[in-house]
Amino acid sequence: MHGLMQDWPLNCHRILDHAATYHSEREIVSRLVEGEIHRTDYRTVRERSLKLSQRLTAEGVRLGDRIATLGWNTMRHLECWYGIIGIGAVCHTVNPRLFAEQIVYIINHAEDRILFTDISFVPIVEKLMPQLPKLEKVIVLTDAAHLPDSEIDLVPYEEWLAEADGDFAWQSFDENCAAGMCYTSGTTGVPKGVVYSHRSNVLHAMTANQVDMLGLSSRDRMMPVVPMFHANCWSICYAAPMVGAALVMPGPKMDGASIYELLDTEKVTITAAVPTVWMMLLAHLEEHDLKLPHLQRVVIGGSACPRAMIEKFQKVYDVEVIHAWGMTETSPLGTLCTLKPEYASLAGEERLDILEKQGHPPFTVEMKITDDMDKRLAWDGKTFGRLKVRGPAVARAYFKGEGGTLLDEEGFFDTGDVAHVDRHGYMQITDRSKDVIKSGGEWISSIELENIAVGHPAVAEAAVIGVAHEKWGERPLLVVVAKRGESPAKQELLDFIAAKVAKWAVPDDVAFVEEIPHTATGKIQKMALRERFRSPEAAADA
Ligand code: AMP
């Protein structure tokens, strides 16, 4: 016997319909690439997205065609998302921070037909164009007045859009059709295409809006600093319109001063980004003695959020930190750290012990930790193993079958992360499996050491890597960027760490560097550091 409820496909564009109908005048504020602050609302964004769908249809774009974007977070990029998916085409967000050859690879691999790009990326596109034979058109997200001179054909977005009269309707199709594509950053092997469906995006956004997740509401003013090209923008471009939260789009400027300016003038209540963004903001706040009176919550993920950062946001600025874990393959939100009743009354260091964890999964994400034989491990908050997840918004395969079968016998996806879980279901990442430091018989968590090191007042950023060692196989090396004007002694830093971890986990040495290299999504590039500090001598010379 079947239920007798309506068949209402979970199509993503219905989210924008909802926002435009019930939250029509809610603001969408953007810092445009041209420099100005632009204001619009959900009703207007829907009208323009619909025109975009109409124009794409006129260009011959059909269900399943891939359309790429190379853009910052602005209302125009948002219109692209909804306009592309509204006719069943697939919105492929390309990360402009990738290496040129990776951009060429993924645009060709995805067989993108049209590219929407911001003015800032025109020089990249010009350079790569000869290697992109399948790309039919480049539309620049600006008007004719701001269109740069170029040797390649560039179409100004505003004039292109104005050719549509808006007399058009979204299409309706199976909710399992592809809606978006995002390639993994390819630190191991070639980048692989993760393909989100309409259904997975809608379910994921509904999940994200739970109170123990992002908990957005129509009273919120959400600023996604996390770029729209990073892992589905952590679902924010679907989750915010779904509840009618205002959006503040920071455009190309992510330095501390620019982020602070928008947080303050636009009265942002919740925001989200990787730790490096917040490091810049906190440095700016400290330097200029500023406060954050409007901001209530900051979502921090993409890499482990240091304990010192959680503490500073809470103690100095009265802002709640929500530590989040996820990956491109998980849509991406997998776990968030909000306090369940078991932990809600904790205070001080004990509370920080919990908030430092990556948190617990919502309904629709199931997780397990296993050993190398795929045996489930205990949830005791200590025993760590491979973190595996499954759910309706978790990838089961990559585009074109790259990488083969992804799931184990129980349908779980191996995240490549190493983690432990406590009895209340709080997960804590100890490492990427390839970054774990194996010293003698022990595994040393690089993330734990990094978190402790950045708690030292003279340390701006820290990375810990394994360096080959004759006797122990590997030993940890601490790589440090000192805060401006500070020059901490090596021993002082090692003593600071020794007070907090087992003796064998204390790094053997410290290397001071001007800068720690980051990947295109803001993670520490451990591979580059391992290359540089291949031997203990290289570290001693630094
Ligand atoms: P990406 O697909 O680029 O978002 O990268 C996903 C990977 O980032 C995960 O598999 C983790 O290794 C790492 N990651 C994401 N969030 C966190 C976090 N809160 N703490 C530690 N690692 C994280």
Side-chain angles (χ1 to χ4, degrees), residues 185 230-231 300-305 323-329 358 415 417 429 432 447 521 523:
S185 43
H230 181 200
I300 306 183
S303 324
C305 176
H323 193 188
W325 168 87
M327 54 197 313
T328 308
E329 290 90 333
Q358 279 74 7
T415 64
D417 287 325
I429 302 271
R432 276 306 280 171
I447 292 184
T521 50
K523 298 183 211 312

Side-chain angles (χ1 to χ4, degrees), residues 45 71 122 141 163 171 193 200 207 210 366 385 426 437 456 472 510:
V45 163
V122 167
L141 296 167
E163 284 173 33
Q171 287 173 21
S200 72
T207 302
Q210 293 179 22
E366 293 175 3
Y426 280 71
I437 300 161
H456 188 282
W472 301 110
V510 185

Side-chain angles (χ1 to χ4, degrees), residues 7-14 50 53 57 61-65 81-91 168-180 196-202 238:
D7 189 12
W8 195 89
L10 301 177
N11 290 149
C12 294
H13 39 280
R14 292 194 141 154
L50 216 47
S53 283
T57 304
V61 174
R62 297 289 177 263
L63 190 79
D65 284 349
W81 274 37
Y82 281 96
I84 295 169
I85 61 179
I87 51 169
V90 185
C91 179
F168 193 76
W170 308 120
Q171 287 173 21
S172 182
F173 35 79
D174 180 357
E175 63 185 20
N176 285 302
C177 285
Y196 308 107
S197 66
H198 281 258
R199 174 186 155 82
S200 72
N201 275 343
V202 172
Y238 297 120

Side-chain angles (χ1 to χ4, degrees), residues 282-302:
L282 290 173
H284 178 79
L285 295 176
E286 260 170 46
E287 208 172 304
H288 300 274
D289 197 18
L290 300 166
K291 293 276 176 267
L292 296 170
H294 311 292
L295 190 64
Q296 295 160 9
R297 287 166 292 159
V298 53
V299 184
I300 306 183

Side-chain angles (χ1 to χ4, degrees), residues 116-141:
F116 290 91
T117 180
D118 270 323
I119 332 175
S120 0
F121 308 122
V122 167
I124 304 181
V125 178
E126 283 172 334
K127 210 167 78 207
L128 304 184
M129 206 56 190
Q131 301 169 66
L132 303 171
K134 290 193 177 141
L135 205 58
E136 297 161 25
K137 196 166 236 155
V138 178
I139 300 171
V140 187
L141 296 167

